[in-house]
Amino acid sequence: MKQYRDSRGWRYQVMAGIGGYAFKGRYLKPGALSWKCMTQLPWQDKIKDAQADLDAYAKKKGWEEVESE
């Protein structure tokens, strides 16, 4: 799974929702304990579709791909 970081240090990745049947990009602010849903991206039934949404959004925003921590 790809993970991205923006200039503020926020991290982004695709995660499952409750039940594990829907997927969406989420973000984590530095120092925060929990990931939050990205309102800019839709819920998807397939993880590959959610990843494609996040990949396109990251490219548009110029985020760097990083290793998952």
Side-chain angles (χ1 to χ4, degrees):
M1 194 68 53
K2 291 182 186 176
Q3 191 174 99
Y4 295 96
R5 183 173 47 226
D6 69 13
S7 61
R8 301 170 291 185
W10 294 23
R11 291 186 291 148
Y12 302 83
Q13 71 180 35
V14 170
M15 300 174 91
I18 295 174
Y21 299 107
F23 304 90
K24 186 173 187 162
R26 294 179 185 246
Y27 66 90
L28 181 68
K29 294 180 182 181
L33 299 176
S34 62
W35 292 82
K36 305 292 183 191
C37 287
M38 296 177 66
T39 59
Q40 305 92 329
L41 301 179
W43 285 100
Q44 297 286 3
D45 293 333
K46 297 178 182 172
I47 195 168
K48 68 179 179 116
D49 294 337
Q51 187 65 57
D53 289 343
L54 181 59
D55 292 345
Y57 196 78
K59 183 176 181 179
K60 175 180 162 185
K61 293 291 189 175
W63 297 341
E64 66 175 321
E65 187 176 342
V66 295
E67 293 291 322
S68 296
E69 296 178 8

